[in-house]
Amino acid sequence: MAILEILQYPDPRLHAAAQRVDKIDAQTRQLIDDMAETMYAAPGIGLAATQVDVHKQIIVIDVSEDKSDLRVFINPEIQRREGVSTGQEGCLSVPGIYDNVERADSVTVTALDRSGARFTLNASGLLAACIQHEMDHLHGRVFVEYLSELKQNRIRAKLKKRQRKAA
């Protein structure tokens, strides 16, 4: 397994739309394992393939306290959204930035697991928010784009300054 490089906002590659996965083979499963290792090491609770510059519809999520419940979503599709909830979100591609985002409180999602079996999941709370957040990445959207233009500009300036200092 390997720790992958996570793209940092405002990298334009974060805005690329991910393509459907046609076949789940050893290479796909290796990517899933590397994504999980990267997510846990970051540390985070979700990671989309887009964030590691692989533009395929693959998400890994683990919202458990002890990091023992890895969930894999390949070609995920939200079938139902219900209710509205506002919660604070952060993102591995936007380190150190947190803000409130409004999302559906519960969702029903269908996807394939790492072996290619189709499943349906009803999720609410943190898991539902995480699924929606990571699926946004697959569509080329980063959570800060839900914020006002002023906040987005401040975040971009802060991250660019941080990148200059690190260089």
Side-chain angles (χ1 to χ4, degrees):
M1 293 199 294
I3 304 279
L4 306 172
E5 180 185 350
I6 298 173
L7 299 177
Q8 301 295 301
Y9 179 82
D11 191 310
R13 294 172 291 178
L14 288 168
H15 296 292
Q19 303 301 310
R20 291 182 65 78
V21 174
D22 293 326
K23 68 177 183 173
I24 300 169
D25 54 15
Q27 186 177 2
T28 303
R29 285 187 289 280
Q30 183 63 56
L31 174 62
I32 290 166
D33 292 342
D34 292 346
M35 287 174 59
E37 185 176 5
T38 301
M39 175 188 71
Y40 289 130
I45 61 170
L47 187 69
T50 301
Q51 292 176 271
V52 294
D53 202 22
V54 177
H55 302 285
K56 295 183 178 181
Q57 293 184 13
I58 302 172
I59 295 169
V60 295
I61 294 174
D62 188 342
V63 296
S64 68
E65 289 290 325
D66 62 357
K67 305 300 177 204
S68 64
D69 189 25
L70 180 67
R71 296 172 185 260
V72 176
F73 299 81
I74 301 171
N75 301 333
E77 295 177 10
I78 292 180
Q79 305 297 323
R80 178 195 57 84
R81 298 175 193 265
E82 198 168 280
V84 177
S85 180
T86 300
Q88 190 170 79
E89 293 188 16
C91 181
L92 296 176
S93 291
V94 193
I97 305 295
Y98 301 89
D99 213 316
N100 289 325
V101 177
E102 187 175 282
R103 299 205 182 264
D105 184 55
S106 66
V107 296
T108 300
V109 62
T110 58
L112 302 176
D113 65 16
R114 69 178 288 128
S115 63
R118 178 163 296 288
F119 68 92
T120 299
L121 175 71
N122 294 310
S124 60
L126 180 59
L127 180 57
C130 193
I131 290 168
Q132 293 168 85
H133 175 111
E134 299 309 333
M135 284 186 67
D136 277 352
H137 282 297
L138 300 182
H139 299 290
R141 190 165 190 189
V142 180
F143 91 97
V144 296
E145 294 164 10
Y146 285 97
L147 308 177
S148 71
E149 191 66 34
L150 175 64
K151 282 187 176 182
Q152 288 181 51
N153 289 335
R154 285 182 179 164
I155 290 167
R156 273 192 290 274
K158 182 176 184 176
L159 292 176
K160 284 180 183 176
K161 182 178 180 181
R162 189 183 299 161
Q163 289 169 353
R164 279 193 305 271
K165 283 184 177 180

